[in-house]
Amino acid sequence: MKIRILWLFIIFGLKNNGVFAQDKVTLSGIVSDVKNNETLIGVNILFPELNTGATTNEYGFYSITIPKGTYRIVISYLGYRDISETISFETNLNKDFSLAEAFENLNEVIITENVEKLNIKKPQMSVNTLTSNTIKQIPVVFGEADVIKAITLLPGVTNAGEGSSGFNVRGGAADQNLILLDEATIYNSSHLFGFFSVFNPDAIKDLKLYKGGIPARYGGRVSSVLDIYQKEGNSKEFHVNGGIGLISSRLLAEGPINKGQGSFLLGGRATYAHLFLPIFDIENKAYFYDLNTKISYKLNQNNNVYLSGYFGRDVLSFSDSFKNTYGNTILNFRWNHLFSDKLFSNLSLIYSDYYYGLDLGFIEFNWNSGIRNFNLKYDFKHYLSNKIKLQYGLNSIYHKFNPGEIEPSNPESGINAQKLIDKYGFENAIYIDVEHKLTNRLMASYGLRYSSFLRLGQDELNMYTNDQAVIYNQDLQIYQKAVPIGAESYKRSDVIESFGNLEPRLALAYELNSSSSIKASYNRMNQYLHLLSNTSSPTPLDIWTPSGKYIKPQQLDQVALGYFKNFKDNIYSLEVETFYKKVKNRIDYIDGADLIANNAIEQVILNGEAKAYGLEVLFRKNLGRFKGWFAYTLSNSEQRTPGRTPYEPGINNGDWYKTPYDKTHDVSITASYDLTRKWSFNINFLFQTGQPITYPNAQYVYNGLNIPNYGLRNEYRLPTYNRLDVSATYTPKPDKNTGWQSEWVFGIYNVYNRMNAASISFKQNEETRVNEALRLSIFGIVPSISYNFKF
């Protein structure tokens, strides 16, 4: 019924907005960079006389319908020279445009591409865009440009501290973020347990982080969407660029295939610090390597195909006794097809795999686990009129979960092979998004997504009394694992449990004047996959598990309201947002839960709820010698798991408690200053409330040992976190645009050598026999130097 009402509303809007009116023509085409033929995202196609326009989509395509006549058209993209033409439009016209970079010298200031600017009119809110140039300018540890570290400098985004993987958005857990690389899901976004991210900044074309008001084309997670597209490669000339650092290097090559028609991109990164360890008689090793690939080919005017991939591995070993290997593999084949000048489509066939392996030589067995999926996506963008644009499509994902497998490395070890039961799921969705210009000042984006999840049959599933896998022992006053009363086996085609949910989305933007607007949004989302982790930051050992008979899908409802303003011709911009979100069925763990190699994980999980709310401020200076932003977040993130009956206390006595990723205050300042054409400087300052932690509140003596007694969950906090980073970039020949071009980057991470606490643990002092707190800090001051080049 809801879907029928939505379609009636759309059709009514079409009639009232003159979609079926006569004497109109459609202009469509592709906008690209004249130098490398790379398509450009977000280019403005403007008709000043008609006071209307359009922008290019993720593949550089645009479409706009106008009355017949002769008009001036302006193609505008910051960092590129404008194109202005007068064209007579009597019939539909397909026209491609190529833009040339514009380096405009104003007192030695270079105006460069800036797709990060604030769009006042668009209803989309709670979204941030960063370019690879901005990411490369931010000082980071070891001097390696890092996507994840960059987005944690934005309001509403944090992580669990230094040396931690993943990121948290608006008080959500790391597993609640959907991370896409060329539409394929990345399950672990970090190398070396969080010191590096898996994304090579040289290969990135576009990055968007959606924190709220998420369009209906996205689903499957309840906190955010990080959508990253790789470059397509230069289809006109062969080029190479790369960088050499103290502990890692990278190299990327791109060039044409059948010049002007196709292109390839091949990039790789690796660390090599472990190669020097034998010099110091150290047998331990820790390193990573990854590979980015992409092939693009234009078959004809209406058809383009892309084949992109990523492969990454981390290796951590201690002599011959322990070896840990993990990483992501993705492959995506995409077909862009233009049905007409108003209907654009993209068909994607995607494979994604995350693998985790342990080689435990000292006890002679191997362990491996992971998650694998096959994804079919078919998306359409329909340019009905200048006032109404539709996006609709479908998505089907087949999941296979490998919770773990033990294999003896030596047949004589006495260890028996053991396989935890594989799990399977089938996730489906259909959606429609509408972008609707209701009046000259009011724009709306509304849509509906229907998602479903089928928990497919597995070899064996435990059965419990009253379907309760966790029981409460009133005598001991603790939660315990229930004893199975039997087990049931299923065929793979059987459906053990099914879920289906409607997910409405709505965003509104009201333009107060040409430079300011207010926006509001609401979205509901469902998450059918859960990351089992007993740490505040994801680790490679964490296991993904699907919703099913004993684990319910998470469901989010989020609302947001914001004020947005540009100052002085977009030189400055201000974004102020407030949000509130609530999540049902957030999993929580009973005390003493064992998550590793657990074949009945439902025995240690209870379903609870979570909520978060806050205020975000982002003030940017976008142009000039001095650029950067100030970000501040005031927020609160809590969860609770009440008892299932009046006799059960629940977790933490059923009271709300701080999530491990709650940070009341979060301040970041990021700035760059172009001193001369050769020298530029960058700073980065962070101040954050310490993350919640559980401390002991008493101790008792047992057999001569002092045993700590821990209080309520996350009742205390780590000390406040703060840090200052600086870097300087030296370009020897800034005016050189051909041949060998290079730059040196000098950096200092944590300038004043603050030893921020990554964790605080408690142990008994062997001499005094008294419990004491031990503070662990990951980094003090870390200098770095790297050399970047291209030719």
Side-chain angles (χ1 to χ4, degrees), residues 486-512:
E488 188 171 355
S489 296
Y490 296 87
K491 295 186 295 183
R492 192 74 66 245
S493 58
D494 292 339
V495 176
I496 300 174
E497 194 78 15
S498 64
F499 305 94
N501 292 284
L502 285 174
E503 303 178 13
R505 317 287 172 89
L506 174 66
L508 298 168
Y510 182 77
E511 189 177 357
L512 300 173

Side-chain angles (χ1 to χ4, degrees), residues 191-192 196 247 270-275 277 284-289 313-317 323-326:
H191 283 307
L192 295 183
F196 300 88
I247 67 169
T271 56
Y272 40 73
H274 64 286
L275 300 178
L277 295 179
N284 303 341
K285 295 181 180 179
Y287 62 92
F288 77 85
Y289 57 91
R313 283 294 182 266
D314 282 70
V315 179
L316 174 67
S317 66
K323 185 177 181 181
N324 177 202
T325 304
Y326 64 92

Side-chain angles (χ1 to χ4, degrees), residues 590-626:
I590 65 174
D591 292 332
D594 54 320
L595 303 179
I596 307 302
N598 189 339
N599 212 13
I601 200 68
E602 68 274 3
Q603 295 178 338
V604 296
I605 289 176
L606 291 173
N607 288 302
E609 60 181 337
K611 66 179 179 181
Y613 51 89
L615 175 72
E616 300 171 354
V617 179
L618 179 62
F619 180 76
R620 287 179 182 265
K621 186 175 187 295
N622 301 305
L623 299 173
R625 279 188 173 184
F626 178 78

Side-chain angles (χ1 to χ4, degrees), residues 68 82 421 457 607 628 701 710:
K68 290 183 178 180
D82 290 355
I421 298 172
N607 288 302
V701 179
Y710 285 85

Side-chain angles (χ1 to χ4, degrees), residues 29-32 37-39 57-61 94 96 232 235 260-263 294-307 332-339 344-348 378:
I30 301 290
V31 182
S32 59
N37 218 29
E38 187 90 27
T39 57
N57 68 5
E58 294 88 349
Y59 302 95
F61 177 78
N94 181 274
D96 297 339
E232 294 158 10
S235 65
Q261 193 163 3
S263 63
K294 193 165 189 178
I295 295 175
S296 309
Y297 199 82
K298 184 175 183 177
L299 300 175
N300 52 44
Q301 190 69 31
N302 295 329
N303 295 279
N304 293 273
V305 292
Y306 306 87
L307 180 63
N332 184 8
F333 173 77
R334 285 181 290 161
W335 170 43
N336 286 174
H337 177 65
L338 192 62
F339 285 95
F344 178 92
S345 71
N346 178 70
L347 175 67
S348 299
Y378 204 10

Side-chain angles (χ1 to χ4, degrees), residues 142-143 243-246 250 743-746 784-788:
F142 302 135
I244 302 172
L246 293 177
R250 64 189 190 278
E743 65 179 18
W744 291 89
V745 181
F746 309 91
S784 65
I785 180 173
S786 59
Y787 177 72
N788 300 322

Side-chain angles (χ1 to χ4, degrees), residues 373-387:
N373 68 50
F374 300 89
N375 187 357
L376 169 67
K377 288 176 77 269
Y378 204 10
D379 302 294
F380 299 84
K381 188 159 187 178
H382 207 154
Y383 299 82
L384 293 178
S385 73
N386 295 338
K387 293 186 176 182

Side-chain angles (χ1 to χ4, degrees), residues 720-738:
T720 298
Y721 181 98
N722 62 85
R723 191 187 78 236
L724 174 67
D725 312 321
V726 298
S727 71
T729 302
Y730 173 67
T731 308
K733 298 179 179 179
D735 296 321
K736 189 175 183 181
N737 295 319
T738 59

